[in-house]
Amino acid sequence: MKKIIMTMLLGIAATFAAQAQSQGTSRWTITPHVGVNSSNMSGQEIYYDFDHSVKSGRRLGLVAGAEVSYRYVQPLSTAVGVWYSREGFSLDFPAGESKSHFDFLNFSAVENFYVTDGLAIKAGLQLGYMLSGESALADGSSQDLDKFYKKVNISVPVGVSYEYRQVVLDLRYNIGLTNLCDVELLNETWRTNSLWLTLGYQFDL
């Protein structure tokens, strides 16, 4: 019985490999990435002196991660990735600038559609977990932000990438869906938005 099962499994594997080889399009790759992001937190508006307010501005941060991709048919591939990103926002008060940052661990699933050889447009879903958050205030002190923000963040990444040989240039915009405000007394909506630009190197698996 074991020999029969092994023979069947080997036959199925050989058939799958032959089909993939005949199509010439199915392949696995892994691509480490590193780059920068420009991020903000929508809905962040702080009032001071009763009738004045300041809105949040964008901040630059670091992005690093890796994606595993499977090209299952010529124009399409699916990629799943794990990313670290430092995102945040700034508030420019008359007395000085306050800077906030958040460290996220993100898990993404993205579908790529290849318009031409090497050029792809993409969209998917991303789940983020906030590892930490801190604000550097204008007076030089710091504040822990964990108690003000929810930990889980869901976003939609959309973008474009270009592959040349094994080098991959990726530009994507992550649209936040989750209201991260965790203060019951505040009827506000805080959502992340970040633009990522990364450079990767693709390895065949």
Side-chain angles (χ1 to χ4, degrees):
M1 180 62 70
K2 291 182 179 179
K3 291 183 179 180
I4 294 174
I5 293 174
M6 288 298 297
T7 303
M8 291 175 63
L9 291 175
L10 289 173
I12 293 171
T15 302
F16 180 83
Q19 289 178 347
Q21 187 174 3
S22 65
Q23 292 175 356
T25 58
S26 299
R27 66 190 185 112
W28 290 90
T29 60
I30 183 169
T31 309
H33 292 262
V34 65
V36 296
N37 69 55
S38 172
S39 60
N40 199 351
M41 185 80 70
S42 63
Q44 292 284 346
E45 184 175 7
I46 306 298
Y47 284 85
Y48 65 96
D49 294 339
F50 299 104
D51 56 350
H52 294 84
S53 67
V54 57
K55 292 185 178 181
S56 62
R58 305 191 73 83
R59 290 201 63 191
L60 293 178
L62 173 69
V63 180
E67 280 188 315
V68 175
S69 177
Y70 177 60
R71 180 83 68 89
Y72 56 89
V73 69
Q74 183 57 36
L76 297 173
S77 74
T78 298
V80 294
V82 179
W83 307 85
Y84 163 80
S85 66
R86 169 163 282 201
E87 303 175 15
F89 63 92
S90 63
L91 294 167
D92 192 8
F93 294 101
E97 187 179 32
S98 172
K99 299 179 180 179
S100 300
H101 73 261
F102 307 91
D103 295 318
F104 282 101
L105 181 63
N106 301 291
F107 303 90
S108 64
V110 172
E111 190 72 10
N112 298 290
F113 177 76
Y114 287 85
V115 181
T116 62
D117 187 23
L119 179 64
I121 56 176
K122 61 188 64 197
L125 194 64
Q126 181 167 281
L127 175 65
Y129 181 80
M130 188 185 297
L131 301 173
S132 64
E134 187 178 51
S135 180
L137 304 179
D139 61 5
S141 62
S142 62
Q143 184 178 34
D144 190 353
L145 299 178
D146 288 354
K147 60 184 177 181
F148 303 115
Y149 294 84
K150 297 176 183 177
K151 291 289 188 180
V152 177
N153 184 36
I154 299 174
S155 58
V156 173
V158 293
V160 61
S161 64
Y162 184 74
E163 303 170 13
Y164 178 72
R165 297 184 184 272
Q166 290 173 278
V167 177
V168 182
L169 184 65
D170 189 294
L171 179 67
R172 64 182 68 183
Y173 186 71
N174 297 294
I175 306 167
L177 301 180
T178 306
N179 180 10
L180 294 180
C181 180
D182 200 23
V183 182
E184 294 183 359
L185 297 178
L186 295 180
N187 185 23
E188 296 186 4
T189 300
W190 301 341
R191 292 192 177 98
T192 61
N193 61 83
S194 59
L195 182 68
W196 293 6
L197 177 64
T198 62
L199 190 65
Y201 192 84
Q202 193 174 82
F203 298 92
D204 292 331
L205 295 178

